[in-house]
Amino acid sequence: MTRDAPSEVFDERGRLYALISAWLIPPVPPPFWRCAAASVIAVAAAILMRVALLGLSGGVGATQPFFPALVLVTLYAGWRWGLVPMISAVIFGWWLWGGRDGQGLSDDEIATMVIFLISAVLTTVVAEGLRGALQGLAKARREQNDAETRLEVTQSAVGVGPWDWDIVKDILNLSPEARRNLGATPDEPIDWARMWALFHPEDRQRVSDTIRASVRAGDACEVEFRLADLSQGERWIHARGRMLRDPAGRAVRMVGVNFDVTDRRRDEERLRESEARFRSLADSAPALMWVSRVDGQRQFVNRAYVEFAGGDYESALTLDWRGRLDPEDLPGILKGQIAGEGSRKPFSLEGRYRRADGAVRWLKSFSQPRFDPNGDFEGFIGIAFDVTDTKQAQADLAGVNELLGERVQAAMAERDAAQAALFQSQKLEAIGQLTGGVAHDFNNLLTVIIGALDVVERHPDDATRRKRMLAAALAAARRGEKLTQHLLAFARRQPLRPEICRIDRLIAESEGLLRRALGDAYGFHLRLGGGVRTALIDAGQFEAALLNLVVNARDATPAGGEVTIESRPVTLTEAAGDLEPGPYLRIAVRDTGTGMDAATAARAIEPFFTTKPPGEGTGLGLSQVYGFARQSGGTVEIESRPGQGTSVVMLLPVADALADNEAADPFDPVANPSPARVLLVEDDPEVAALVDAMLGDLGHTVVRAGGVAEALERLDQDQAIELVLSDVIMPGGQSGVDLAEHLAAARPGLPVVLCSGYTGGDQGRARAGDWPFLAKPFSLDSLARALTQARPH
């Protein structure tokens, strides 16, 4: 059963109280003339009442009729105006008792007047206090009404519907938003029978069991269910309630909210389908595939990888491949791995590995870095092919060539067979080269998503545009968001982002993070002596390397120990290893731990080498630090003795600081666009629509073409085009670079901007040219800057 909300019962009474309060005590002080009029009317009414009832004779009731006037005037205008009827009462009493005849007051009359004055003052004080209390109550009521209005607006905006259930009386109270979420009309009565009818038949028993269990246990209730009405598709509602108990501990009431979670449910289903498609694709590949995190630990491996490693999936994720490598290939593979992972660029390795069944196979791997949509490094994605047949074919081919003179006919037949085997193996290796093409398609998807979100962020109040952009982003996500994350790294060869950085400033800014990583059980000190000296480094890599060293120091130091970070300049007067003479910055992380012997320190930077127990370390921390230092032109040194702690030192070359432009106000091409007529050459319709919208946001007029031939036709027809934005990879045998080269000869004054999500093909030509290049996915800001760079100033 249902009933009106409790507050509605008192609405009429509350309105009456509000009316009396508003009449008796105005919300603002009345003007002077109203206060004076009220005082005069009150005094006149008191005098008339006295004269009408007792006449002008006798002294009884000379001051008593003024008490109501005193109270009313004080309540209406305040205590200062309350003095008017008080003084008027004194004057009237004096006049009535003898003043009109020139007689003085008797002792009793004086005592009566004193008693009146004392009573009048007390009455005025009480009335003034009552007036303040009523004003406070009126203000509180207004604030409560405002708060309730804001709460109702907020709940309506976010789709949250409050409800409550009186368990004892079995009464349901549903807010309008709660009814709307359940698909009920605002006025229809709602009881449990109607509630069950609104639930999907398959979910009714589960919801009933959940509610009953909550009532019995007196716990909070949380359940998700579908609605029976499928006219708008399947809709999911999330209901959450909290139980209230009486002093005896019995559950007497449940209050809560409900809200629509249909979009979240649909997104989760799409995500599961996308992950399932990716795993199916990876498991069907005839090659070993894996995805690693930033720390080098495997995050995903496919079926071929597990079968080669042997055992189950979890053991394949943590397999140490150094134990499977041929001893002759181990040093070269480790060196190549350290250099490749340290550079965060694509790299390839080839060596002999022992399979789970004991067979030794040649594997050739291709690893490429992967980055999130913000460009932050997330690890590597790799694929390895069994090239044993290729190696054998190459060996056979060499043998055939040596015996060519003696066994020409037989050698020809063997050579043909070897070449056939070689061709087949090379076709398998070519799959790795196709990875870039796959990444091109999915980079288009990321361009739609990132660009759409960027437009929505810049125009949050434009509902039409937001709906269109979000629809485009969701459509792209349905086509393989998760697959993109895993395949993107195959095609992206983004360089590192070195910049001139003040080392001491970076260390100081990282102090809070380093302290949290170290914990309260250790002392932590900074001794920074680098001053204003700078180095050309990737700031993010440096901070990650510093964090790695601090964590390693913590793990090697007993509780109560100390970790110190020092920086100071050093100068090499002669070459030291790979380091040239010159100024360097020495950054050392020193601990008071157990230390290492010389043999252990010599191997410390090897990948996967660790002194920690199994499962407590990957052995990749120091190797990553070493790779960062080497790619930055420096090196890593380890100073340690057993029982005397360890110092890991990074030597980084000092770089000349650039001019300090931090205080300058840079030109923002997004906030200050220069409108132009732009020819957009893009074969993917979704990407074209998204980039068209982004160009529109920048104030440009867009002409679209789906290929090079169509672009040339548009240029011939429309001489007003001022700039060309073209994808590199295009259908029809001609690329965006071909278009740019043609325009450079035919229309040398026409600016061209190239963009691509593919890492191979003509991208090298595109980057080598003088045209601004945009790597997909790109943001609105990146697009605006590229267009500004391309146009002549």
Side-chain angles (χ1 to χ4, degrees):
M1 61 183 295
T2 60
R3 68 175 183 185
D4 293 335
S7 61
E8 296 177 0
V9 176
F10 303 102
D11 279 354
E12 292 299 328
R13 187 182 305 173
R15 281 193 288 270
L16 179 60
Y17 290 162
L19 180 62
I20 295 174
S21 177
W23 172 79
L24 192 58
I25 303 179
V28 295
F32 177 87
W33 68 269
R34 287 189 180 180
C35 295
S39 300
V40 171
I41 292 171
V43 169
I47 294 174
L48 288 175
M49 181 171 62
R50 167 61 176 79
V51 173
L53 295 177
L54 298 177
L56 295 176
S57 63
V60 179
T63 56
Q64 287 88 337
F66 288 87
F67 277 104
L70 177 66
V71 172
L72 291 176
V73 172
T74 301
L75 287 176
Y76 181 77
W79 68 269
R80 292 178 178 83
W81 287 98
L83 298 177
V84 173
M86 185 188 306
I87 295 172
S88 299
V90 173
I91 295 173
F92 179 76
W94 168 82
W95 178 81
L96 187 64
W97 287 334
R100 57 182 173 171
D101 299 327
Q103 299 177 2
L105 301 180
S106 66
D107 293 341
D108 290 339
E109 291 170 341
I110 293 175
T112 301
M113 189 66 69
V114 171
I115 292 173
F116 165 76
L117 288 174
I118 295 174
S119 301
V121 170
L122 293 176
T123 301
T124 302
V125 171
V126 172
E128 180 66 20
L130 179 60
R131 182 175 188 269
L134 290 176
Q135 286 179 326
L137 289 174
K139 179 180 179 182
R141 183 177 182 85
R142 290 195 302 272
E143 292 175 349
Q144 179 185 3
N145 291 336
D146 293 342
E148 290 175 350
T149 301
R150 289 194 298 270
L151 178 60
E152 183 179 353
V153 171
T154 301
Q155 291 171 349
S156 177
V158 301
V160 175
W163 54 266
D164 74 274
W165 172 33
D166 189 332
I167 299 174
V168 177
K169 298 179 180 179
D170 196 25
I171 296 175
L172 277 173
N173 291 316
L174 301 179
S175 70
E177 193 62 29
R179 289 170 174 265
R180 189 179 302 114
N181 290 336
L182 294 174
T185 61
D187 299 323
E188 73 172 308
I190 298 291
D191 54 14
W192 281 112
R194 175 57 178 155
M195 286 286 285
W196 298 129
L198 294 174
F199 298 162
H200 194 281
E202 296 178 4
D203 294 344
R204 291 170 186 168
Q205 187 61 44
R206 177 170 54 84
V207 175
S208 176
D209 293 342
T210 302
I211 294 175
R212 290 177 179 175
S214 299
V215 172
R216 286 194 301 268
D219 296 329
C221 176
E222 189 165 3
V223 64
E224 285 188 2
F225 53 88
R226 293 166 293 174
L227 297 181
D229 182 9
L230 301 178
S231 60
Q232 299 179 0
E234 189 175 75
R235 290 184 59 218
W236 283 86
I237 301 298
H238 185 105
R240 181 181 303 158
R242 183 169 63 90
M243 196 68 63
L244 302 179
R245 303 169 181 268
D246 62 9
R250 295 177 302 173
V252 296
R253 190 179 184 190
M254 182 183 291
V255 295
V257 295
N258 65 22
F259 45 94
D260 193 321
V261 293
T262 303
D263 291 341
R264 191 201 72 195
R265 281 279 186 167
R266 291 173 179 171
D267 290 343
E268 290 174 350
E269 183 61 28
R270 286 193 293 267
L271 179 61
R272 284 192 293 268
E273 292 175 359
S274 179
E275 290 178 343
R277 286 194 297 269
F278 169 75
R279 288 186 177 275
S280 177
L281 173 64
D283 286 341
S284 64
L288 284 70
M289 297 179 63
W290 65 91
V291 177
S292 66
R293 294 194 292 261
V294 177
D295 60 3
Q297 186 67 37
R298 296 290 188 264
Q299 182 178 349
F300 167 81
V301 295
N302 70 339
R303 182 179 301 168
Y305 189 107
V306 175
E307 292 174 353
F308 193 99
D312 57 12
Y313 183 87
E314 296 299 327
S315 62
L317 287 176
T318 58
L319 177 65
D320 186 350
W321 283 98
R322 291 178 301 177
R324 297 289 188 90
L325 267 167
D326 186 279
E328 294 181 4
D329 298 338
L330 178 60
I333 292 292
L334 291 180
K335 183 177 180 181
Q337 181 178 358
I338 294 174
E341 292 181 347
S343 68
R344 294 187 179 176
K345 295 180 179 179
F347 65 94
S348 177
L349 301 173
E350 186 176 280
R352 288 164 289 182
Y353 295 79
R354 179 170 46 82
R355 201 166 54 191
D357 59 4
V360 176
R361 308 294 293 178
W362 279 92
L363 294 181
K364 186 169 186 178
S365 65
F366 300 88
S367 297
Q368 295 209 22
R370 58 191 184 96
F371 302 87
D372 64 16
N374 296 325
D376 297 326
F377 177 72
E378 287 192 330
F380 280 87
I381 185 169
I383 186 169
F385 302 97
D386 188 332
V387 294
T388 306
D389 294 339
T390 301
K391 290 290 185 179
Q392 185 61 44
Q394 290 174 345
D396 292 344
L397 185 59
V400 169
N401 289 332
E402 292 178 359
L403 298 177
L404 185 61
E406 299 177 2
R407 303 173 56 188
V408 176
Q409 297 300 326
M412 287 295 295
E414 292 180 8
R415 186 188 63 183
D416 291 342
Q419 285 179 339
L422 177 62
F423 178 73
Q424 183 65 26
S425 298
Q426 287 175 339
K427 285 199 298 183
L428 290 177
E429 290 189 49
I431 295 177
Q433 306 303 321
L434 295 178
T435 306
V438 176
H440 167 67
D441 294 335
F442 286 93
N443 261 323
N444 284 341
L445 301 179
L446 285 180
T447 299
V448 175
I449 296 171
I450 294 173
L453 294 178
D454 197 12
V455 172
V456 170
E457 183 180 10
R458 293 177 181 274
H459 303 278
D461 298 327
D462 190 336
T464 302
R465 182 179 306 204
R466 180 173 66 248
K467 182 177 180 181
R468 187 174 70 251
M469 293 296 100
L470 290 178
L474 286 175
R478 294 189 190 100
R479 292 170 54 191
E481 177 185 3
K482 281 295 181 182
L483 183 57
T484 300
Q485 294 176 357
H486 293 294
L487 294 182
L488 179 62
F490 278 103
R492 295 179 69 181
R493 294 183 171 90
Q494 293 184 347
L496 298 174
R497 300 175 180 174
E499 55 183 338
I500 298 295
C501 298
R502 188 178 299 176
I503 296 298
D504 281 5
R505 177 185 295 173
L506 287 180
I507 297 174
E509 290 175 350
S510 303
E511 181 179 0
L513 174 64
L514 299 176
R515 285 187 182 275
R516 287 191 294 273
L518 192 60
D520 297 331
Y522 301 87
F524 182 71
H525 307 285
L526 292 182
R527 297 177 181 174
L528 306 181
V532 297
R533 295 172 181 83
T534 57
L536 182 62
I537 59 171
D538 185 308
Q541 288 193 53
F542 174 79
E543 292 170 348
L546 201 62
L547 181 61
N548 257 328
L549 294 180
V550 169
V551 171
N552 279 351
R554 178 201 64 191
D555 293 343
T557 305
E562 296 184 347
V563 175
T564 303
I565 299 179
E566 301 176 340
S567 66
R568 59 182 175 86
V570 296
T571 301
L572 297 182
T573 56
E574 56 184 16
D578 295 332
L579 300 185
E580 298 293 332
Y584 288 82
L585 276 170
R586 182 182 188 275
I587 301 97
V589 177
R590 178 165 50 86
D591 62 59
T592 58
T594 56
M596 297 181 286
D597 56 26
T600 303
R603 298 190 59 193
I605 61 174
E606 293 180 9
F608 304 108
F609 177 80
T610 179
T611 59
K612 300 176 183 177
E616 294 187 13
T618 63
L620 294 173
L622 282 177
S623 66
Q624 290 177 336
V625 174
Y626 176 76
F628 158 74
R630 292 296 299 147
Q631 74 182 4
S632 301
T635 190
V636 171
E637 297 176 353
I638 299 178
E639 303 168 0
S640 182
R641 290 184 181 181
Q644 298 185 14
T646 301
S647 290
V648 181
V649 179
M650 286 188 290
L651 287 177
L652 301 176
V654 173
D656 294 332
L658 299 178
D660 188 6
N661 294 325
E662 294 180 357
D665 185 14
F667 175 75
D668 185 352
V670 176
N672 304 277
S674 179
R677 190 169 181 82
V678 178
L679 173 62
L680 173 61
V681 188
E682 173 60 63
D683 61 305
D684 189 299
E686 292 181 340
V687 177
L690 189 279
V691 178
D692 190 334
M694 296 170 71
L695 290 170
D697 283 347
L698 295 173
H700 301 302
T701 303
V702 181
V703 179
R704 285 163 58 172
V708 174
E710 185 179 355
L712 293 175
E713 182 179 349
R714 294 280 189 273
L715 287 167
D716 290 339
Q717 297 172 353
D718 191 345
Q719 297 296 319
I721 292 175
E722 304 173 67
L723 188 145
V724 177
L725 173 61
S726 174
D727 192 8
V728 173
I729 307 301
M730 302 294 292
Q734 289 183 300
S735 69
V737 181
D738 296 326
L739 173 62
E741 292 176 344
H742 174 82
L743 295 179
R747 296 181 62 176
L750 181 64
V752 178
V753 177
L754 298 177
C755 62
S756 178
Y758 180 42
T759 59
D762 282 350
Q763 193 185 91
R765 293 169 57 202
R767 290 185 180 274
D770 294 332
W771 312 285
F773 182 82
L774 270 174
K776 294 180 179 178
F778 51 79
S779 66
L780 189 66
D781 183 74
S782 300
L783 174 62
R785 293 186 180 279
L787 298 181
T788 301
Q789 177 186 353
R791 298 179 68 187
H793 299 286

